[in-house]
Amino acid sequence: MSEVIVITSGKGGVGKTTTTANLGVGLAERGKKVVLIDTDTGLRNLDLLLGLENRIMYDLIDVTEGRVTYKKALVRHKKYDTLYLLPTSQVKDKMAVNEEQLIALCNELRSEFDYILIDCPAGIEQGFKTAIAAADRAIVVTMPEISAVRDADKIIGELGRADKEDIELIVNRIRPQMVRNGDMLDMDDIDEILSIKCIGQVPDDELVVTSTNRGDPVITNRNSEAGQAYRNIVGRICGEEIPFMEFLEDGFLVKLRRVFGW
Amino acid sequence: MSEDVMFKGSRVGLQLILNETADFGNIRDQLKKKLESALNFFSEGTIIKVAANRLTKEQEAELSLLFKRYGITLQAVDFSLQKSISRKQEEIEAEIPGIRETTIINKTVRGGQEIICNGSIVIQGNVNPGAKIIAGGNIDIQGVCRGIVHAGAFGDSNAFVIADHMMAMQIRIAELVARAPDHIEKTKCTERAFIRDAMIVIEPVHRLGAG
């Protein structure tokens, strides 16, 4: 049974594209057939994070406008042969694809892939509406920062309006020291507002920046805490029960566990 | 991105407020979205007033038709005249049917959502920051209220707001507005906000049958 998952956030820069790339690689490493669709038309980034920018021949718009079949546009990952990217155009903008087109495309892809991950653009306009249209479930990415959480709340409301009720949360870019000092929102604060199931807590990690620049997602890096967090998220998506990571000492760790019952 | 179209409760009744510089196309589209969003609970026969000089006759007619589909009558009114007439509460209520009804919302109201109701509202969930609840009657939030609430929106100063955790950004009752302090602590008990001596006051209350 194939699943279409949209990765969205509202706020820009919280890690949607990073998350999409890492989850894609993680699932492919487990042998799943995965296609990643970049819907951030005009400002595409997903190809960079995967190191595939030189291999793009056709894009999402070429497919939705009928110039090529999706098979021609898919870029296979250099290392993981069950991972494919459908990049988008850097020349057009988000008005170039609508909901019906993406739904039709995803219906075609369902027969070939186990997971279809859609990298949603920031905002709540047409780009967002198109990206969520075909989704079976949504992963909302946020960070422990008040404007990111507000935007996530708005996004959850908009997803509800579009009848997308299967919504889970990833909290990204956590700086445990700042949380402990009370300078960053903690999981309690976030859960009070968003009240959706959390499937991931990813620490802020410099290695994410290096991996982005090198086009090699951090999930492959055994020395990275963020990488480990992403590996755990992939496990949870595949139905495993994995406790949240310990990045802090006992007092805070106990609190994390209690809030989410893990 | 600010809104060009807003519903507002006031002493002159329910108003349609239009941004001065907005073009009609935008106004009509935003109005459609608001009415379709099913977050507005206007009873049949509700009258909404719009400033007479803001729209052309054709534009008025077009919006009138749009409102009619929802059982609402659009009235063009010269507000400069209206202000000086002090209206009885009964007169206002006659234009706002359903003011004695209660609507129940059984989920959390999220940021950016706006619920407008002629009568009273019960919310079985939270009201998140950035959410707005406007009611002709009372508002009861069985959860945490962090948004903006306006009870007695058509001038009923006997209206009140109750919340399990009253941490609203703004509490408005009839024409009065109270603003939360910049740093609000999590409250411990259910509280009721109401008007006493021309001020909004908040007092703890006990819900009957509460655990």
Side-chain angles (χ1 to χ4, degrees), chain B:
Chain B
M1 193 188 83
S2 64
E3 286 202 327
D4 296 323
V5 167
M6 219 175 49
F7 292 124
K8 188 168 163 230
S10 74
R11 284 242 99 205
V12 301
L14 195 52
Q15 285 180 50
L16 175 64
I17 310 259
L18 302 173
N19 189 338
E20 279 303 313
T21 54
D23 83 39
F24 185 68
N26 285 337
I27 288 176
R28 186 197 39 221
D29 293 340
Q30 288 182 32
L31 204 44
K32 262 205 198 125
K33 266 177 76 177
K34 270 192 186 281
L35 291 171
E36 277 168 5
S37 78
L39 291 177
N40 299 328
F41 299 93
F42 303 121
S43 305
E44 281 273 329
T46 298
I47 298 178
I48 293 187
K49 302 187 177 168
V50 68
N53 48 14
R54 179 67 183 79
L55 301 166
T56 68
K57 285 281 172 250
E58 293 82 29
Q59 292 172 337
E60 247 176 64
E62 205 183 324
L63 292 188
S64 242
L65 219 53
L66 179 56
F67 274 114
K68 252 215 176 34
R69 276 190 239 145
Y70 297 87
I72 303 170
T73 306
L74 185 66
Q75 244 183 35
V77 147
D78 186 347
F79 285 123
S80 54
L81 291 180
Q82 286 257 308
K83 254 191 233 169
S84 49
I85 302 172
S86 99
R87 298 173 10 120
K88 291 220 186 60
Q89 187 60 19
E90 299 83 63
E91 271 177 50
I92 299 177
E93 293 189 1
E95 285 176 5
I96 304 173
I99 202 165
R100 304 249 160 259
E101 290 168 3
T102 300
T103 303
I104 301 182
I105 311 278
N106 60 359
K107 43 160 62 166
T108 289
V109 185
R110 303 239 168 221
Q113 292 181 333
E114 197 179 85
I115 302 199
I116 307 180
C117 200
N118 286 3
S120 295
I121 302 183
V122 172
I123 302 198
Q124 295 169 339
N126 300 334
V127 176
N128 278 355
K132 214 189 224 181
I133 315 288
I134 301 176
N138 308 315
I139 301 176
D140 182 351
I141 297 163
Q142 296 166 359
V144 185
C145 175
R146 288 195 179 87
I148 295 180
V149 286
H150 188 175
F154 308 122
D156 181 4
S157 37
N158 292 322
F160 55 84
V161 183
I162 291 186
D164 286 353
H165 298 276
M166 184 75 80
M167 296 155 67
M169 292 201 283
Q170 282 181 25
I171 301 174
R172 303 179 190 171
I173 302 181
E175 270 116 59
L176 297 185
V177 182
R179 180 171 51 92
D182 283 339
H183 256 327
I184 190 157
E185 299 259 315
K186 180 95 188 253
T187 59
K188 294 186 175 46
C189 65
T190 304
E191 289 173 317
R192 188 168 83 108
F194 57 101
I195 294 180
R196 182 202 284 150
D197 298 332
M199 275 198 324
I200 294 181
V201 300
I202 302 180
E203 279 182 356
V205 288
H206 271 309
R207 285 192 190 280
L208 289 173

Side-chain angles (χ1 to χ4, degrees), chain A residues 122-138:
Chain A
I124 48 174
E125 291 79 25
Q126 187 59 48
F128 164 76
K129 292 182 186 154
T130 298
I132 68 173
D136 301 319
R137 59 195 257 214

